[in-house]
Amino acid sequence: MVAVKLAELALTGDLVRPARLTLPDLLGWRQHVADVSFECATSGIRRHRFAGPRLYDVLADAGPGFDPARRKDRLRFLIAVTGTDGHHALLSWAEIDPDFAHAPVLLAVTNDGSPLDAAGPQLVLPQDRCGARHISGITAIRVDGGYDFDGPVPATPGRTSAAAP
């Protein structure tokens, strides 16, 4: 019998408890089901049923490094998600936080009843009309609150800060 290597995702960044998680690990959280319909640019309307834990629950358990002395500190945190195919998505903490937008974003462990064991979890944003932020085979999720707005933002090479005439 050949053992199938389970995909892992790395939770990194400003977390008290960074972790490496597999789909069986994600099954330890409360599972939510989402019937999702989204528009795909190449194949039209797609409909799927996903199940898995909420992204908020998994990240909250990892202990985001919010500063309790800073009012609304969690609003400056970003969540970067990377998939095996090189696709990336960026969310704000406020999108998933129950005190703000409370979007039911999932780390899906099944798609239409089929387990995603070998491929890895999928980011599912039921509220998105377009499926572009549905990242398959998640390899990494980084929580980042470390950027600083106190100083000037350096210019990106090849871009100017002045508006075009």
Side-chain angles (χ1 to χ4, degrees):
M1 183 167 150
V2 177
V4 175
K5 179 168 172 33
L6 295 176
E8 281 189 336
L9 78 88
L11 294 181
T12 64
D14 296 326
L15 299 170
V16 175
R17 292 173 297 284
R20 297 192 73 74
L21 302 173
T22 62
L23 263 68
D25 296 326
L26 294 173
L27 288 168
W29 276 274
R30 180 176 171 217
Q31 302 294 294
H32 299 268
V33 174
D35 291 314
V36 177
S37 176
F38 60 88
E39 193 171 333
C40 180
T42 57
S43 57
I45 302 290
R46 309 285 285 199
R47 289 178 179 77
H48 294 285
R49 172 171 274 194
F50 294 99
R54 291 223 170 126
L55 176 62
Y56 175 83
D57 295 338
V58 173
L59 294 182
D61 189 62
F66 304 143
D67 182 349
R70 294 177 68 178
R71 188 171 181 263
K72 300 180 187 175
D73 188 52
R74 60 196 158 148
L75 297 180
R76 70 183 173 91
F77 280 69
L78 299 175
I79 304 161
V81 181
T82 303
T84 55
D85 58 2
H87 282 98
H88 303 278
L90 186 64
L91 295 90
S92 72
W93 187 269
E95 282 183 85
I96 64 169
D97 192 305
D99 288 337
F100 298 98
H102 198 203
V105 178
L106 297 182
L107 291 176
V109 296
T110 66
N111 179 358
D112 296 329
S114 297
L116 298 172
D117 292 337
Q122 181 170 338
L123 184 70
V124 176
L125 294 98
Q127 71 279 6
D128 282 9
R129 182 186 64 79
C130 170
R133 292 198 298 174
H134 287 224
I135 305 296
S136 300
I138 299 170
T139 57
I141 300 174
R142 179 170 178 77
V143 176
D144 192 350
Y147 52 90
D148 186 3
F149 289 115
D150 293 337
V153 177
T156 302
R159 295 191 180 189
T160 62
S161 58

